[in-house]
């Protein structure tokens, strides 16, 4: 059996954003997802109920449509597998929004290493010990942690602590002593009504200058200008390259982990008319229709998505 080259193995699915969102009909069945203050309606014009491939071993699979035996394409980085990245960050965003209902009950802590620590196994080992020491101090919380790779190879950990009531004041020096590995920064999440979207942006986006320094060509990706306010109230602007950090993630790396008490989004299926009644008079904060097509198979589909935020009335 001849190994397939990447160019033969990879199929291109064309995606085109339609100029207007094409809403489903009232009787169409939609997926309704509730994530704390965020609700999402998703409708797929076509549904695939058949699995077209069967795994044979770690290296090979069979395409049941043609009977061909093929080799899996192993990715060099998370950025090579766009769908995998999309799914991972999407799940993390939904998980955060489901559990962070009141930002005042949460602390956002960034943990860094003083050294250029690049060991992925040590990363989670150090974090586990940190959480154990934190709980030993008598603090009760649930957590979601996401790891962010830096251009120089070191790691940052972005941790959300979720308390039953208003988050306690914990001196930064105390948290730094419990971590014991480097710099620690603690922030509140007040005035942020979509915490999931806000925090997951850190994991995929990269400062323009950092992207250039890493040898990454940002010309093919979307660039946006964001405005920050420092501790002194001074506003600054900087360019961000969306998705540029994804190429730094090792293949098959678990971007995030969470404690056992973390809730998952509530997903149900219902007619579009019922979903509209659930969201009531809320105005969509996000709405679009995307057309997906595959020239090789002739497959095409339209996917409609809308989101609603209870905090934005």
């Amino acid at each position: 059996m001849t190994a397939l080259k990447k160019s033969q193995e990879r199929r291109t699915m064309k995606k085109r954003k339609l100029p207007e969102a094409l809403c489903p009909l009232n009787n169409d069945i939609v997926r309704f997802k509730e994530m704390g203050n965020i609700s999402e309606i998703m409708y797929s014009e076509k549904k695939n109920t058949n699995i077209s491939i069967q795994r044979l071993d770690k290296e090979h699979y069979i395409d049941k449509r043609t009977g061909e035996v093929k080799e899996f394409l192993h990715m060099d980085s998370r950025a090579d597998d766009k769908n995998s990245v999309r799914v991972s960050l999407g799940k993390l965003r939904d998980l955060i929004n489901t559990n962070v209902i009141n930002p005042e009950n949460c602390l956002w802590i960034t943990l860094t290493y003083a050294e250029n620590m690049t060991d992925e196994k040590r990363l989670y080992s150090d974090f586990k010990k940190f959480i154990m020491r934190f709980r030993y101090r008598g603090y009760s919380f649930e957590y979601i942690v996401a790891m962010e790779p830096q251009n120089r190879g070191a790691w940052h950990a972005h941790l959300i602590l979720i308390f039953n009531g208003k988050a306690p004041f914990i001196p930064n020096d105390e948290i730094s002593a419990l971590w014991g590995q480097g710099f620690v920064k603690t922030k509140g999440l007040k005035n942020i009504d979509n915490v999931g979207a806000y925090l997951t942006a850190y994991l995929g986006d990269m400062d323009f200058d950092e992207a250039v320094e890493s040898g990454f060509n940002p010309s093919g990706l979307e660039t946006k200008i964001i405005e920050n306010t420092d501790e002194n109230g001074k506003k600054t602007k900087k360019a961000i390259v969306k998705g540029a950090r994804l190429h730094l993630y090792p293949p098959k790396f678990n971007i995030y982990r969470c404690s056992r008490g973390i809730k998952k989004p509530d997903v149900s299926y219902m007619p579009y008319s019922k979903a509209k009644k659930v969201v009531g008079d809320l105005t969509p904060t996000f709405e679009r229709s995307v057309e997906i097509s595959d020239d090789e198979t002739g497959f095409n589909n339209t996917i409609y998505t809308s989101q609603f935020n209870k905090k934005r009335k």
Side-chain angles (χ1 to χ4, degrees):
M1 180 177 58
T2 304
L4 296 176
K5 297 180 180 179
K6 282 189 178 182
S7 59
Q8 295 173 313
E9 188 73 17
R10 182 177 293 159
R11 287 192 7 224
T12 301
M13 297 288 286
K14 296 179 180 178
K15 183 183 291 186
R16 181 172 68 94
K17 183 178 178 181
L18 300 180
E20 294 183 3
L22 303 178
C23 296
L25 301 176
N26 283 334
N27 292 328
D28 288 333
I29 300 300
V30 300
R31 185 192 70 187
F32 188 73
K33 187 188 297 185
E34 292 184 278
M35 304 158 285
N37 296 317
I38 309 293
S39 298
E40 180 184 87
I41 297 174
M42 192 279 287
Y43 171 70
S44 178
E45 188 178 47
K46 296 180 181 178
K47 300 173 179 62
N48 182 14
T49 58
N50 297 318
I51 300 176
S52 59
I53 69 169
Q54 179 180 344
R55 184 188 180 97
L56 298 177
D57 53 40
K58 189 170 73 171
E59 300 293 336
H60 308 100
Y61 68 93
I62 184 170
D63 187 332
K64 294 193 291 186
R65 296 167 299 184
T66 64
E68 293 178 276
V69 175
K70 300 181 179 181
E71 290 188 356
F72 284 112
L73 173 63
H74 295 292
M75 304 300 174
D76 295 326
S77 74
R78 300 286 300 212
D80 288 331
D81 188 356
K82 301 291 186 183
N83 188 58
S84 176
V85 174
R86 180 186 63 82
V87 170
S88 294
L89 293 183
K91 286 182 177 180
L92 174 59
R93 182 188 62 242
D94 294 350
L95 206 62
I96 293 173
N97 283 332
T98 300
N99 291 273
V100 180
I101 299 175
N102 186 352
E104 290 190 354
N105 294 352
C106 306
L107 289 178
W108 175 26
I109 302 174
T110 300
L111 307 171
T112 70
Y113 283 89
E115 59 186 291
N116 192 32
M117 205 292 293
T118 61
D119 187 338
E120 300 161 27
K121 292 183 178 179
R122 178 186 163 186
L123 173 66
Y124 273 115
S125 176
D126 287 343
F127 174 76
K128 184 177 179 180
K129 294 174 184 175
F130 167 72
I131 289 294
M132 291 175 64
R133 290 192 289 265
F134 217 122
R135 293 197 190 280
Y136 185 74
R137 288 289 182 96
Y139 294 108
S140 178
F141 54 83
E142 300 296 337
Y143 71 81
I144 302 172
V145 63
M147 306 307 185
E148 177 197 1
Q150 302 301 296
N151 180 37
R152 59 191 176 96
W155 288 94
H156 286 178
H158 294 292
L159 169 66
I160 304 175
L161 297 182
I162 306 167
F163 298 87
N164 288 328
K166 187 175 181 180
F169 170 75
I170 307 175
N172 204 65
D173 290 346
E174 181 179 344
I175 300 175
S176 182
L178 292 173
W179 172 236
Q181 303 291 341
F183 178 74
V184 170
K185 187 174 183 179
T186 306
K187 282 186 176 181
L189 294 170
K190 292 174 62 177
N191 303 321
I192 301 174
D193 61 12
N194 191 327
V195 178
Y198 179 78
L199 295 187
T200 51
Y202 277 81
L203 304 177
D205 300 346
M206 184 184 288
D207 180 275
F208 185 90
D209 293 336
E210 184 184 0
V212 173
E213 289 174 4
S214 69
F216 191 80
N217 181 8
S219 61
L221 292 179
E222 180 182 349
T223 302
K224 63 180 181 179
I225 304 297
I226 65 170
E227 187 176 85
N228 286 328
T229 303
D230 61 21
E231 298 176 352
N232 298 319
K234 183 180 179 180
K235 293 184 178 181
T236 59
K237 293 182 179 181
K238 64 177 180 178
I240 296 294
V241 183
K242 298 187 69 174
R245 192 174 302 280
L246 298 178
H247 77 291
L248 297 179
Y249 283 95
K252 300 181 180 180
F253 178 76
N254 289 327
I255 294 177
Y256 67 91
R257 294 184 184 182
C258 59
S259 56
R260 292 182 180 180
I262 290 297
K263 301 174 183 178
K264 294 183 179 180
D266 184 13
V267 179
S268 56
Y269 294 84
M270 62 186 69
Y272 181 54
S273 58
K274 183 178 179 179
K276 288 193 295 182
K277 288 182 180 179
V278 176
V279 298
D281 59 356
L282 292 177
T283 301
T285 56
F286 171 86
E287 187 177 29
R288 75 173 179 183
S289 293
V290 175
E291 185 181 75
I292 300 174
S293 62
D294 184 352
D295 292 338
E296 182 180 328
T297 63
F299 173 80
N300 61 80
N301 192 14
T302 300
I303 297 175
Y304 166 84
T305 307
S306 59
Q307 286 190 352
F308 304 83
N309 191 330
K310 296 175 184 176
K311 293 289 187 179
R312 303 183 192 177
K313 296 197 175 181

